[in-house]
Amino acid sequence: MSKYQPQEFEDKWYSYWLQQQFFKSVPDEREPYTIVIPPPNVTGVLHMGHMLNNTIQDVLIRRARMKGKNACWVPGTDHASIATEAKVVAMLKDKGISKKDLTRDEFLKYAWEWKEKYGGIILEQLKKLGASCDWDRTAFTMDPHMSEAVIDTFINLYKKGWIYRGVRMVNWDPQGKTAVSDEEVIRKEVNQKLYYINYKVVGSESQKDGKTESHEDEKPQVVIGDDEKQEVLAVQDELLPDLPTPVLTDSKDYLTIATTRPETIMADSAICINPNDERYTHLHGKKVLIPLINREIPVILDEYVDMEFGTGCLKVTPAHDLNDYQLGQKHNLQVIDILNNDGTLNESAQILVGIDRFAARKKIAVMLEEAGSLAKTEDYKSQIGFSERTDAVIEPKLSMQWFCKMSEMAKSALDVVVNGEVKLIPEKFINTYRHWMENVKDWNISRQLWWGQRIPAWYNEKNEWVVAKTEEEAKAEFEKAGLTYTELRQEDDVVDTWFSSWLWPISVFNGIAEPGNEEINYYYPTNDLVTAPEILFFWVARMIMAGLEWRQEVPFRNVYLTGIVRDKLGRKMSKSLGNSPDPLDLIEKYGADGVRIGMLRSSPAGNDLMFDEEHCKWGSSFGNKIWNAFLLVKGWEVDDSLECPNNIAIEWFKSRFNQALVEIEDNFGQYRLSEALMSTYKLVWDDFCAWYLEMIKPAYQKPIDRHTYNVTISYFEDILKLLHPFMPFITEELWHDKLFGERGEKDCCIVAQMPANGEVNTQLISDIDVVISIIGQVRNVRSKNQLSPKESLQLSGKINSGIDYSHYIGVIQKLANVSEFSFVDAKVNGAVAFMAYTDEFFVPLELNIDVETEKKRLEDDKVYLTGFLKSVNAKLSNEKFVANAKPEIVENEQRKKADAEAKLAVVEASLAALAN
RNA sequence: GGGAGCAUAGCUCAGCUGGUUCAGAGCAUCUGCCUUACAAGCAGAGGGUCACAGGUUCGAAUCCUGUUGCUCCCA
């Protein structure tokens, strides 16, 4: 064996595990332990967030497997309708094909081809990380049975009255030409301009009762600016009235509004002022004219208007602003949509038709200025929404959408988190979760895309519609309803990807179509879900809803929320910043094991991870340490004639190991994975390598006795097991070394059983703590006096405690390089002295002891101990303390007192001796 | 503007139900070692008013209130 080179064996073991089908799970009599992967976007490539997330899942699943559970980790991807469709559209564009020229089926054919070619990349990358997923179960949200589940649940909810159609203001992405959810809108602060625009007031009172006001009695007219839909709720022509020639009784009479969006003035329906605003009482009941197009709109009153902001006059544009929309509904205003789906102005705008919204903004500013209607402009900063997928500025847009009612499902989904049926880790996310669930809005589930599950709604020529699984069933529905049709047309839109993935924990086991099947009964509910807090709401919460709805049971018991992986500067890792290392490069450089533990090290649940490559380096150093410890043991020759001199070391490590086992178990129980890793790390590096191996190590080229050798090998094997979930590759590689004897085909670390808990000799552990302190102080004496470690020293001990050092002399001599150890009854003059616990030790040196330095050191000790004792005494003499504190705490204080007094006595005696 | 969270060593974070003079770990820094498993190492050292101000308590990094600063979510 040579140096530690993880790259040399990682692929080998991964293939072997696959070949032996160790990741495979089928229901059996064992207790199941199940994780479903948060399905990564099928277009995705592995990024650091996935690395962290999947490392955690793999640690959990490997540990469960080694604890005798039937571990099942279901992998897969989601179809990511927006992202995938965008990629396919881009690919087609490169080929000179426009989506518009394709039929739905043609387009989908290209999309599937694309998916087959690129869709599996991320899963292949996970294998490099060591992910022990049951790949035979790899699922895709558009697999036939998964899609069928989506359609069935859609119909089911529709029948329940929880799915409906409605006009809503949606976040429209004009580039992706799709509605996106609030969660997919990224708000950024942007420098803008505030345009101050004058609207002429229509002055004459006589006009007030005129024809133009009659619309207030009518139903509000709504224009859906969706040029892909035939369906509009009003006829556009009605919104293109003959422009009345403005008659201004007083040309100086105008009001000024402030807006960042002058291009939308053509869509204005009113000007709103605060009724309490004394500046504008003269405008009550008046009408004004929109500049450039001279359309007349009323001045309305509402306390919603902030008198402080802008001019106090608010242009109301119901079609293009959510707040204005609500205001418009309240005041029964016209809704005029002047934008096409691609962000260009439509006919309703009357001017600048066909021009992009941003170009139109610049142009209209000039036009307004020329018309004398632009009062001024000001710089202004505000938050603008951008599409997460395309980075286009989001356009609030009215659109006919499918919605899923949330209120009832949200209530149950909140209950199970509040009552602990589903635990969020860390718990602090409960508050956020509650806040969201209590303020939940209905879920907009339609997507204006083709890639995904097509909504099972069918329309006749009159746009009357029914919901049904097939065309035949739809026809039957029509007939049942007494509606006529000549031909039916299926809804073009697909449902939101989350409407597939909320079924994930159920549908991967085909639990919708066959709710009683063996797999779903065995694996569901799953155990742990590992995901990012940013999708707590729109994925986790909805999975809980779906679980309760279709299985009357939560989908998982625990939700482990990881943090966001950031760079050293705390910036989120992103492609655009280029601050994310390529995970596969990291694996190449540091080994998968090194990267895994590097990521885990400083990422407690729910906390962001400030990623630094140094962590991976640390990880691979640890691998190196284990490797070298192994080389040491492997190099030993055994001599059967030797007695075992290492009983203390052997017994001590066994106790330490068992102690650590409990700690690690406890850490896992609380999902403190980094703590569990650190406990393991310290056990291996400090206790095993630095102390145990040094204690038992035979002198150079000397053989070791059989007993120590065998025990050490079994310790090593136990350590490999403990390490395996964190570092699967190096542990498997070493597991198969001849050192451990012949291994059968199936005898692998990955399926070995975790060591069972054993006894802990706490007395021995605390004795060895003292021994370790003695060794450290002897080394320190050497170091302070610039003596070589090779130079052996003499050591005498004046024992005041009850510790029986006779057992430990050997260890002390070996590790502190002490040639002679003796017990003394009195202080040794002219020697360097130190204390360990309450015992005194002396190292005679052939040099002058600086009395003053020694005195100083003892004085310092004395000050410390006196202070310590004082604080302890203060507590113990405090009646309230003795009365209120728990008995074991009082007891502990008494022990502290006794110890401190003993130590202080020793220090004082030493000082007295020095004074002589 | 509304809600939530965070603030501990140069950095990243522990510190769990208040209870050793409690202020800890790793990394980084500094000093000394190429001591034959490991320089990806070994032996040592320095480093913090636990953001600030009050309060509760016998006792506060820990609980409460306020202030400041940062982050996230929502409008």
Side-chain angles (χ1 to χ4, degrees):
Chain A
M1 277 169 88
S2 56
K3 290 202 147 191
Y4 172 57
Q5 269 163 1
Q7 298 77 7
E8 285 177 4
F9 51 78
E10 290 183 353
D11 289 346
K12 175 180 75 180
W13 289 116
Y14 200 85
S15 309
Y16 191 77
W17 293 327
L18 282 177
Q19 185 202 323
Q20 294 296 328
Q21 303 205 310
F22 288 138
F23 305 160
K24 192 171 174 59
S25 168
V26 285
D28 60 20
E29 68 298 335
R30 288 174 298 167
E31 186 189 336
Y33 175 85
T34 315
I35 297 181
V36 289
I37 205 168
N41 176 340
V42 72
T43 67
V45 288
L46 201 65
H47 60 61
M48 297 307 288
H50 295 125
M51 295 283 280
L52 174 61
N53 186 267
N54 288 290
T55 297
I56 291 167
Q57 291 175 70
D58 196 46
V59 169
L60 294 174
I61 208 90
R62 282 179 185 270
R63 190 173 153 83
R65 196 179 285 124
M66 294 177 75
K67 298 202 88 179
K69 304 219 175 114
N70 184 345
C72 179
W73 183 10
V74 183
T77 48
D78 79 29
H79 63 274
S81 50
I82 301 173
T84 308
E85 186 151 330
K87 294 240 176 189
V88 175
V89 167
M91 175 204 76
L92 290 172
K93 199 177 165 192
D94 286 345
K95 291 185 178 176
I97 304 171
S98 165
K99 184 186 163 192
K100 273 189 285 186
D101 301 333
L102 296 176
T103 65
R104 184 188 194 96
D105 286 347
E106 284 166 348
F107 177 81
L108 290 178
K109 193 163 163 274
Y110 281 115
W112 278 106
E113 274 170 16
W114 190 92
K115 186 260 169 187
E116 292 309 321
K117 193 165 173 191
Y118 302 106
I121 292 177
I122 192 158
L123 300 180
E124 288 309 309
Q125 290 176 314
L126 283 179
K127 295 178 181 174
K128 292 278 173 197
L129 184 66
S132 58
C133 305
D134 183 352
W135 297 107
D136 294 343
R137 295 179 176 274
T138 304
F140 177 54
T141 48
M142 277 172 73
D143 285 343
H145 77 277
M146 305 277 282
S147 281
E148 192 180 352
V150 171
I151 299 306
D152 287 345
T153 51
F154 184 100
I155 293 167
N156 182 311
L157 289 176
Y158 174 76
K159 286 186 177 153
K160 232 176 153 168
W162 288 0
I163 284 186
Y164 63 92
R165 298 182 83 206
V167 176
R168 283 297 170 90
M169 187 70 79
V170 297
N171 300 304
W172 186 258
D173 174 347
Q175 203 167 310
K177 295 203 187 68
T178 175
V180 296
S181 70
D182 289 347
E183 289 81 0
E184 291 159 316
V185 175
I186 299 162
R187 290 191 169 73
K188 297 183 206 165
E189 184 140 290
V190 171
N191 289 317
Q192 299 198 93
K193 279 206 166 15
L194 205 50
Y195 297 83
Y196 287 78
I197 303 170
N198 296 335
Y199 285 48
K200 282 175 182 161
V201 176
V202 180
S204 79
E205 282 296 309
S206 62
Q207 283 190 337
K208 199 182 168 187
D209 300 319
K211 174 174 148 275
T212 50
E213 203 172 272
S214 60
H215 72 263
E216 283 188 6
D217 303 320
E218 296 165 4
K219 274 203 79 165
Q221 294 177 332
V222 178
V223 175
I224 308 300
D226 185 343
D227 55 10
E228 284 179 2
K229 283 187 201 283
Q230 295 304 306
E231 195 177 345
V232 287
L233 295 187
V235 183
Q236 284 207 347
D237 288 357
E238 286 181 26
L239 289 155
L240 295 170
D242 293 328
L243 297 180
T245 312
V247 181
L248 300 178
T249 51
D250 181 356
S251 62
K252 286 177 189 167
D253 205 358
Y254 61 86
L255 60 79
T256 306
I257 58 99
T259 180
T260 55
R261 304 202 59 188
E263 75 279 12
T264 63
I265 61 169
M266 291 83 79
D268 287 352
S269 297
I271 298 295
C272 191
I273 55 176
N274 192 311
N276 305 317
D277 195 334
E278 290 173 3
R279 293 172 297 176
Y280 298 124
T281 44
H282 64 284
L283 292 174
H284 293 192
K286 293 271 163 76
K287 292 177 183 300
V288 296
L289 293 171
I290 297 172
L292 303 177
I293 60 168
N294 288 335
R295 182 157 53 78
E296 197 174 280
I297 53 172
V299 174
I300 60 169
L301 304 177
D302 199 295
E303 296 195 347
Y304 162 78
V305 176
D306 181 359
M307 294 190 277
E308 306 297 317
F309 185 80
T311 61
C313 295
L314 174 74
K315 78 194 263 298
V316 185
T317 321
H320 299 293
D321 184 281
L322 183 59
N323 295 317
D324 289 10
Y325 178 68
Q326 282 157 359
L327 199 59
Q329 290 217 309
K330 187 170 162 191
H331 292 269
N332 235 11
L333 296 175
Q334 260 191 319
V335 177
I336 304 164
D337 188 334
I338 60 161
L339 288 175
N340 289 318
N341 281 351
D342 62 0
T344 58
L345 274 58
N346 66 23
E347 296 289 324
S348 301
Q350 305 178 43
I351 53 172
L352 298 171
V353 175
I355 308 284
D356 179 76
R357 54 193 168 142
F358 296 112
R361 182 178 302 174
K362 286 184 186 150
K363 290 196 174 173
I364 205 159
V366 175
M367 289 163 75
L368 286 167
E369 193 161 19
E370 283 168 358
S373 299
L374 186 64
K376 60 171 177 175
T377 63
E378 253 175 24
D379 288 333
Y380 180 68
K381 265 190 191 157
S382 69
Q383 296 267 317
I384 297 276
F386 291 83
S387 166
E388 191 180 46
R389 306 283 172 194
T390 65
D391 207 36
V393 173
I394 290 297
E395 190 64 54
K397 182 176 173 63
L398 287 170
S399 173
M400 186 58 90
Q401 299 283 329
W402 289 87
F403 288 89
C404 181
K405 198 176 151 196
M406 286 282 100
S407 51
E408 279 159 75
M409 285 194 275
K411 197 185 165 303
S412 343
L414 174 57
D415 288 346
V416 293
V417 168
V418 170
N419 73 22
E421 271 182 72
V422 174
K423 283 206 187 72
L424 302 187
I425 297 146
E427 283 180 354
K428 66 179 177 185
F429 285 105
I430 293 177
N431 287 337
T432 337
Y433 181 84
R434 176 186 287 118
H435 188 253
W436 190 73
M437 296 308 258
E438 283 173 350
N439 297 285
V440 68
K441 287 178 283 182
D442 283 354
W443 178 11
N444 173 207
I445 53 172
S446 44
R447 274 296 108 118
Q448 289 75 39
L449 294 168
W450 283 348
W451 179 243
Q453 289 92 11
R454 194 170 180 182
I455 290 174
W458 305 79
Y459 300 82
N460 67 9
E461 296 74 14
K462 292 184 206 159
N463 278 326
E464 291 162 328
W465 52 276
V466 298
V467 167
K469 195 164 178 178
T470 62
E471 191 166 353
E472 282 62 45
E473 285 175 34
K475 285 176 178 170
E477 289 286 325
F478 265 100
E479 279 150 27
K480 210 164 77 188
L483 300 171
T484 58
Y485 61 88
T486 47
E487 213 178 331
L488 292 186
R489 176 174 55 82
Q490 189 179 352
E491 168 70 57
D492 268 331
D493 282 357
V494 297
V495 287
D496 185 3
T497 309
W498 299 112
F499 199 82
S500 310
S501 42
W502 74 326
L503 304 176
W504 187 252
I506 306 173
S507 56
V508 294
F509 301 116
N510 201 22
I512 297 286
E514 291 178 40
N517 84 67
E518 183 195 10
E519 296 235 314
I520 187 88
N521 285 338
Y522 183 71
Y523 293 114
Y524 189 96
T526 68
N527 296 72
D528 298 328
L529 177 81
V530 181
T531 192
E534 53 205 46
I535 55 174
L536 179 58
F537 310 136
F538 61 136
W539 189 47
V540 178
R542 284 169 185 162
M543 278 191 287
I544 296 175
M545 292 177 192
L548 293 172
E549 182 62 26
W550 285 289
R551 294 207 63 81
Q552 296 75 49
E553 192 161 25
V554 296
F556 26 70
R557 299 288 175 211
N558 303 291
V559 180
Y560 181 105
L561 296 151
T562 63
I564 296 166
V565 181
R566 298 176 180 278
D567 68 8
K568 266 192 277 190
L569 303 172
R571 298 172 306 179
K572 203 168 165 175
M573 286 191 172
S574 71
K575 263 189 211 161
S576 51
L577 277 174
N579 58 349
S580 177
D582 181 338
L584 297 184
D585 288 350
L586 288 176
I587 288 175
E588 186 54 39
K589 199 163 162 192
Y590 300 103
D593 290 334
V595 178
R596 287 166 65 108
I597 66 168
M599 305 240 28
L600 267 186
R601 238 204 74 198
S602 65
S603 58
N607 279 14
D608 287 359
L609 166 64
M610 303 296 166
F611 183 78
D612 187 333
E613 252 189 69
E614 286 296 309
H615 294 323
C616 297
K617 200 173 145 198
W618 169 85
S620 77
S621 300
F622 186 40
N624 185 56
K625 185 72 186 178
I626 298 163
W627 190 264
N628 281 299
F630 187 83
L631 287 185
L632 172 70
V633 176
K634 193 173 163 60
W636 287 340
E637 298 278 320
V638 181
D639 181 343
D640 283 314
S641 67
L642 290 176
E643 287 281 305
C644 168
N646 300 315
N647 288 327
I648 287 294
I650 288 169
E651 205 196 327
W652 169 76
F653 185 75
K654 195 205 286 172
S655 279
R656 261 303 295 140
F657 183 86
N658 287 335
Q659 201 177 40
L661 214 52
V662 173
E663 264 172 47
I664 292 163
E665 182 69 43
D666 182 54
N667 286 326
F668 269 105
Q670 298 179 68
Y671 290 85
R672 296 167 184 237
L673 268 59
S674 2
E675 302 268 310
L677 171 61
M678 279 316 284
S679 298
T680 312
Y681 171 88
K682 284 178 183 165
L683 176 74
V684 174
W685 197 305
D686 298 345
D687 297 315
F688 187 69
C689 295
W691 290 107
Y692 175 77
L693 288 179
E694 292 298 335
M695 286 177 190
I696 63 156
K697 186 160 109 179
Y700 183 54
Q701 287 188 335
K702 289 275 161 54
I704 193 162
D705 69 278
R706 173 63 63 190
H707 181 64
T708 306
Y709 184 74
N710 290 345
V711 167
T712 303
I713 287 170
S714 86
Y715 285 169
F716 216 115
E717 201 175 79
D718 281 347
I719 281 171
L720 292 181
K721 291 177 186 174
L722 214 47
L723 283 167
H724 181 83
F726 299 111
M727 307 178 83
F729 293 108
I730 186 175
T731 50
E732 195 70 84
E733 171 72 10
L734 295 177
W735 184 266
H736 292 272
D737 191 273
K738 289 283 181 295
L739 182 67
F740 297 107
E742 288 301 318
R743 299 273 188 200
E745 207 180 37
K746 300 265 179 198
D747 182 359
C748 290
C749 194
I750 184 176
V751 288
Q753 292 301 291
M754 275 291 170
N757 288 353
E759 279 175 29
V760 177
N761 181 340
T762 47
Q763 181 60 51
L764 178 59
I765 286 177
S766 73
D767 282 4
I768 294 291
D769 283 345
V770 177
V771 167
I772 283 173
S773 145
I774 294 165
I775 293 163
Q777 296 197 71
V778 173
R779 287 172 178 172
N780 213 350
V781 168
R782 232 188 230 102
S783 173
K784 285 232 166 80
N785 294 290
Q786 271 138 15
L787 299 172
S788 158
K790 288 175 189 160
E791 192 165 336
S792 61
L793 299 173
Q794 290 183 316
L795 181 66
S796 321
K798 179 174 177 292
I799 309 308
N800 307 308
S801 72
I803 298 173
D804 181 357
Y805 284 93
S806 63
H807 299 115
Y808 310 129
I809 293 174
V811 170
I812 295 171
Q813 285 190 298
K814 186 168 184 177
L815 298 193
N817 191 14
V818 166
S819 54
E820 220 177 290
F821 183 93
S822 55
F823 293 107
V824 292
D825 295 327
K827 293 179 190 310
V828 177
N829 289 325
V832 178
F834 62 82
M835 279 179 76
Y837 190 46
T838 53
D839 302 328
E840 295 163 85
F841 295 88
F842 307 93
V843 181
L845 287 178
E846 299 292 319
L847 38 85
N848 291 329
I849 302 300
D850 182 350
V851 177
E852 285 312 310
T853 315
E854 191 60 12
K855 219 170 166 177
K856 171 89 169 57
R857 186 181 64 80
L858 289 165
E859 288 290 354
D860 287 349
D861 282 356
K862 189 179 166 184
V863 168
Y864 173 88
L865 286 166
T866 312
F868 180 84
L869 206 51
K870 202 176 150 194
S871 87
V872 174
N873 279 328
K875 280 187 196 178
L876 285 171
S877 58
N878 183 327
E879 282 171 31
K880 287 186 180 170
F881 171 74
V882 180
N884 297 331
K886 280 178 265 178
E888 60 267 28
I889 284 164
V890 178
E891 225 171 88
N892 192 29
E893 291 298 318
Q894 271 151 356
R895 193 166 48 241
K896 273 156 64 181
K897 179 182 168 160
D899 282 0
E901 278 169 351
K903 283 184 192 173
L904 190 59
V906 173
V907 169
E908 278 171 343
S910 300
L911 275 169
L914 224 49
N916 293 336

